Amino acid sequence: MSRVIEVPATLDEAAFEELVTAVSTVGGENSRLLLDARQVSWVSPYGLIGLLAIGQAARQQTGLAPLIEPPDDPDVRSYIDRMHFWAAAADVFEVDARHPRRHGEVDTLLEITAIRSHEDVHRVVEGVRDRAQRILLNQLHYTRPSVIHFSVMLSEVCQNILEHADSIGWVCAQRYHWKRRLGRDVVVLAVMDVGVGFQGSLGAEHARRYGERWSSAAALEAAFLNGESRFRDPGRGQGLQAIRRQIIKWDGAVRIRSGDAMIARVPEWDDTPQLQSGLTRFPGAQVMIVLPERVTGEGEQG
Amino acid sequence: MMRTAVSHTRLYSYLVTRHTGRAVRTNIEEQLAVFEETVLAVLDLEHVELIDFSCADEVVAKLVTMPGVISGRRFFLFRGIADRHSEPIESALSRQGLAAAGETIDGDPFVMGDIEPEFERAWRALWRVGRAAPTGLAEQLSLTIEVTTELLTGLDSRGLVIRDGDDYVSFGRALADAPASMDGAPVDPATR
């Protein structure tokens, strides 16, 4: 028996929430998920790896590899091919062997890459340098040190998967024009896993102290705002705080969804709530970072 | 007069991920394990393309808190520090109230991490003269001998200067006076 879920035409972070809610009703053995993406006409990096996360979560829940119907739109198909979606999807979905095709793409900062080990993080960080330089320095007008800071941020956010998720994760990044919200070019970096999530990861060390207040929201606040970690080692937990500090310098946005909550660093140009709870519960952690194009007159960005 | 042994290690490439940092630190600890006496380990980061916060914690913060052996202590000087290294290292040290001695790519000495201005001033003064007792340095700093002694004792306890009897020795002088240095194998995470 299959349960068909239609993927929204605009596959972004809002669509991800819709899909999470829709998929939450799929359960039990012999209930195979089919994601019908035929109507999709626009895809963000977050939405794209969101499909992988939703597929993987369904697979973990039902024990069956889900199916996916690719978009009809040739431009969208071409884009997701260029982002190496099908190579990653083959580990999650039961996919048609005809899909995997790879092409270069000038605006792609980082194609979808699975993170399973520290070697994968090295590969991502070392491989992104030239493109990060071209896109951040030449197209978004960031400073040369910013390229290093971006690579460090990429390393830390990918390591979160290894350190806290105990599960496979994915990362990708793309430059595009964010006309609707900002009227500028942006780089969007998305990182997701479907592992234990912040509440589970930090629970053994911190849950007792919080008592009944322990929740996904409390865990996100503890990690994102206070730099707390699941380890007693005082050197742990600085990665997320460092990311937050850097994003503030760049007037960017970062949001982390985990469990049934989401925490965000919200710049003036965005209207995302800083903390949300009561979302549909979803495993792991889903991170979206938005770096806006720098324009003349903006201060030192570090 | 005590002679401090010196160990040189060059670090390369991308110091990213905690796993890599741990491997690099373990490698350095193994290189230092052959010394029974006090040793100044010089770690050269000039060829490190980038270091992330996790690696800075493993390679810098955890090393400066490395315990010595019965017969000698372990001191660290981080050379070749560029702007691209500064923030992760400063963050890793400051978060734990630690400090470490550094040299820029141009060879200018400085203290990284959590250090109060009067301690840094005493550290720089000692670096200039190389070796001094509190009585000698107090005049330069225009401080009392008691206060100068307190500052130098504090720097010694934080692993930023080397105590030798009544004298205190800067890392620069220790390097110049070293009987011989041991060049450790270069540590490149790419070949870990």
Side-chain angles (χ1 to χ4, degrees):
Chain A
M1 189 178 80
S2 290
R3 167 84 192 274
V4 181
I5 292 179
E6 194 169 311
V7 179
T10 299
L11 182 51
D12 58 7
E13 63 274 17
F16 177 77
E17 291 302 322
E18 286 180 42
L19 287 170
V20 165
T21 302
V23 170
S24 67
T25 59
V26 178
E29 292 179 8
N30 304 320
S31 178
R32 188 197 289 249
L33 173 68
L34 167 59
L35 288 178
D36 181 358
R38 285 178 298 174
Q39 301 306 313
V40 171
S41 58
W42 190 87
V43 188
S44 75
Y46 189 90
L48 193 54
I49 60 171
L51 289 181
L52 297 173
I54 285 165
Q56 181 70 12
R59 186 176 182 140
Q60 288 173 187
Q61 193 180 3
T62 64
L64 298 168
L67 303 166
I68 183 165
E69 196 70 51
D72 287 339
D73 186 317
D75 290 340
V76 176
R77 290 177 81 110
S78 171
Y79 170 69
I80 67 175
D81 284 353
R82 292 195 304 267
M83 290 297 280
H84 299 183
F85 175 78
W86 296 112
D91 291 334
V92 176
F93 296 93
E94 191 176 300
V95 293
D96 188 331
R98 289 172 301 170
H99 286 306
R101 285 180 292 155
R102 293 183 173 193
H103 307 277
E105 161 60 32
V106 291
D107 285 342
T108 299
L109 181 50
L110 176 64
E111 291 90 355
I112 295 173
T113 308
I115 303 294
R116 296 182 179 87
S117 69
H118 71 277
E119 284 97 346
D120 292 328
V121 181
H122 268 271
R123 212 167 5 257
V124 164
V125 173
E126 293 173 29
V128 83
R129 188 184 64 172
D130 290 345
R131 281 194 273 183
Q133 185 147 320
R134 179 166 51 76
I135 290 175
L136 289 175
L137 195 65
N138 301 342
Q139 297 176 358
L140 267 65
H141 314 300
Y142 280 59
T143 61
R144 197 167 292 278
S146 299
V147 178
I148 295 286
H149 294 148
F150 175 79
S151 297
V152 169
M153 188 169 70
L154 188 58
S155 170
E156 294 295 343
V157 77
C158 289
Q159 281 181 77
N160 248 17
I161 296 170
L162 303 178
E163 296 282 344
H164 303 290
D166 294 330
S167 164
I168 187 175
W170 304 271
V171 58
C172 71
Q174 169 79 24
R175 178 188 78 104
Y176 57 88
H177 190 63
W178 214 0
K179 186 177 178 182
R180 183 164 51 94
R181 291 190 207 174
L182 198 56
R184 292 188 201 178
D185 282 4
V186 292
V187 159
V188 174
L189 169 67
V191 183
M192 290 193 186
D193 69 77
V194 288
V196 297
F198 280 73
Q199 187 179 0
S201 175
L202 272 68
E205 186 63 28
H206 301 284
R208 188 178 298 173
R209 183 156 50 86
Y210 282 78
E212 288 182 357
R213 292 181 297 117
W214 185 243
S215 63
S216 295
L220 282 171
E221 282 187 308
F224 189 62
L225 300 181
N226 305 328
E228 291 177 7
S229 151
R230 70 169 166 170
F231 301 99
R232 291 194 173 170
D233 179 346
R236 298 298 190 108
Q238 48 176 335
L240 277 182
Q241 283 202 306
I243 290 168
R244 184 166 157 261
R245 283 198 305 270
Q246 191 60 58
I247 295 293
I248 290 170
K249 282 186 193 172
W250 286 335
D251 193 33
V254 55
R255 60 173 72 181
I256 306 174
R257 188 199 198 284
S258 186
D260 65 355
M262 185 170 70
I263 196 164
R265 185 274 157 174
V266 185
E268 276 186 16
W269 49 263
D270 197 6
D271 56 3
T272 303
Q274 289 186 343
L275 185 66
Q276 293 178 73
S277 54
L279 304 174
T280 304
R281 189 165 280 278
F282 190 74
Q286 296 80 44
V287 181
M288 182 170 86
I289 291 172
V290 182
L291 308 181
E293 177 186 4
R294 308 297 299 180
V295 296
T296 308
E298 285 183 332
E300 180 54 42
Q301 46 189 284
Chain B
M1 188 169 69
M2 181 181 77
R3 289 280 177 93
T4 302
V6 174
S7 162
H8 288 280
T9 304
R10 277 193 187 147
L11 305 178
Y12 286 91
S13 185
Y14 287 78
L15 290 184
V16 296
T17 79
R18 192 165 288 277
H19 179 280
T20 295
R22 203 176 290 132
V24 168
R25 174 169 53 82
T26 303
N27 193 314
I28 293 164
E29 286 171 347
E30 286 169 358
Q31 288 183 14
L32 298 181
V34 301
F35 293 94
E36 291 183 353
E37 69 272 50
T38 291
V39 58
L40 171 59
V42 181
L43 306 182
D44 189 346
L45 279 75
E46 183 177 352
H47 299 287
V48 171
E49 193 81 18
L50 70 88
I51 181 167
D52 69 11
F53 292 85
S54 305
C55 250
D57 178 56
E58 289 290 337
V59 177
V60 181
K62 285 194 167 51
L63 275 180
V64 300
T65 55
M66 177 185 178
V69 294
I70 291 171
S71 51
R73 294 177 61 188
R74 275 80 181 94
F75 296 92
F76 294 90
L77 172 63
F78 297 89
R79 275 190 164 157
I81 301 295
D83 287 347
R84 64 183 185 274
H85 308 128
S86 293
E87 192 179 344
I89 293 176
E90 291 281 353
S91 171
L93 291 167
S94 299
R95 183 179 170 89
Q96 300 176 65
L98 300 171
E103 266 185 18
T104 65
I105 286 180
D106 298 328
D108 296 328
F110 69 109
V111 182
M112 305 180 286
D114 184 22
I115 186 155
E116 292 170 4
E118 61 269 32
F119 282 92
E120 186 171 15
R121 189 165 157 257
W123 184 87
R124 286 185 179 280
L126 184 67
W127 190 282
R128 279 193 296 274
V129 298
R131 170 185 284 268
T135 45
L137 210 62
E139 197 174 333
Q140 282 197 32
L141 293 168
S142 302
L143 295 172
T144 64
I145 293 170
E146 289 73 23
V147 170
T148 307
T149 302
E150 194 179 311
L151 293 175
L152 290 171
T153 305
L155 290 171
D156 172 58
S157 68
R158 301 187 73 184
L160 294 169
V161 300
I162 303 167
R163 185 170 186 174
D164 182 14
D166 291 335
D167 285 349
Y168 292 84
V169 182
S170 74
F171 291 173
R173 174 55 62 87
L175 287 172
D177 292 347
S181 68
M182 178 180 283
D183 289 337
V187 179
D188 183 349
T191 59
R192 66 201 176 278

